[in-house]
Amino acid sequence: MKKPFIVGNWKMNLTLKQGVEFAGLLKNSLYGKREIICGICPPFVFLKEICKILEDCNVCVAAQNIHSERNGAYTGEISALMVKEVGCTHVLIGHSERRHIFHETDSFINAKIKMALSVTLKPIFCIGETLEERESGRTKEVIQNQLKGGLHDIRADRLKELVIAYEPVWAIGTGKTALPGQANEVHAFIRNTVADAYGKDFATSLYIQYGGSVKPENAKELMAQPEIDGLLVGGASITFESFLKIIEAVSKD
Ligand code: 13P
């Protein structure tokens, strides 16, 4: 049995003071809790301070993005090495807001995953279909293409620390959660697709998180699905109280 992996993506929210307070509360609440793995994705400029608070404790810190190049003339961008240096262990790559608002392509996402792996940052690789793609019956095709494009030319032995997050675009920030069975079906498809490319053992041990309007009220039911190994929480991870409620909902039987 895998431990649930629950990650809060703060996106572009909170002040540094609020973030620091949140991290301190989370550290205390999770002290000694071994049945769950937890993480947060603060904005870049909070990372150093928050990583310091959470070092030597069982909460991972992920950056929300990186650039695909190691360094150079990319004004305004942040490299994998920079976030690694301040203490991040994970990084979100290919989040739907990056794909749709900032027009990130599968090949750019692929280059970022390769860059993250080259500095031993663990990618949380986000995929998911839009409403229009779902309604036209193309969910599986879209998921398959995102997997193929994002993981192109990366060998299984380099992907041991990969996490995949299935976040249907129509469920993000809309209050419309995928039904647990609907999410489970896509997770099973992701696992089978990964098994075809990388083998069954690899696919079985792969963590696949669900994200999209996760709340304290639906977290337990989602996590009860056999193919859902964790949750990537947006809006409900911004206040410590609701994030803690999600953690408590999934860590209790
Ligand atoms: P919401 O939980 O606000 O729908 O956001 C999900 C998400 O995008 C997490 O990365």
Side-chain angles (χ1 to χ4, degrees), residues 92-112:
L92 296 183
I93 296 183
H95 191 278
S96 89
E97 286 143 22
R98 301 294 323 166
R99 291 176 187 266
H100 296 284
I101 306 172
F102 300 100
H103 312 294
E104 291 193 4
T105 61
D106 288 329
S107 67
F108 190 36
I109 289 164
N110 176 245
K112 291 186 189 208

Side-chain angles (χ1 to χ4, degrees), residues 5-9 38-41 92 124 209 231-233 237 243:
F5 185 23
I6 312 299
V7 173
N9 175 10
C38 192
I40 49 175
C41 314
L92 296 183
I124 302 178
Q209 297 176 319
L231 302 170
L232 183 53
V233 188
S237 75
F243 192 51

Side-chain angles (χ1 to χ4, degrees), residues 221-235:
E221 203 188 345
L222 285 161
M223 276 308 300
Q225 299 297 311
E227 298 292 342
I228 299 184
D229 306 314
L231 302 170
L232 183 53
V233 188

Side-chain angles (χ1 to χ4, degrees), residues 75-160:
T75 302
E77 292 296 319
I78 304 283
S79 78
L81 273 172
M82 290 168 186
V83 299
K84 173 90 183 169
E85 190 186 359
V86 295
C88 290
T89 51
H90 291 70
V91 57
L92 296 183
I93 296 183
H95 191 278
S96 89
E97 286 143 22
R98 301 294 323 166
R99 291 176 187 266
H100 296 284
I101 306 172
F102 300 100
H103 312 294
E104 291 193 4
T105 61
D106 288 329
S107 67
F108 190 36
I109 289 164
N110 176 245
K112 291 186 189 208
I113 294 178
K114 287 175 177 160
M115 180 50 65
L117 294 171
S118 79
V119 302
T120 66
L121 261 183
K122 301 169 188 173
I124 302 178
F125 170 36
C126 306
I127 55 176
E129 81 287 2
T130 63
L131 187 60
E132 191 246 309
E133 287 161 346
R134 173 163 282 262
E135 286 178 344
S136 58
R138 290 192 293 128
T139 298
K140 289 184 177 169
E141 176 197 327
V142 169
I143 295 290
Q144 198 162 30
N145 287 339
Q146 289 176 343
L147 283 171
K148 216 169 141 189
L151 301 179
H152 176 69
D153 204 19
I154 310 178
R155 290 196 323 262
D157 60 335
R158 293 190 64 208
L159 283 175
K160 286 199 186 83

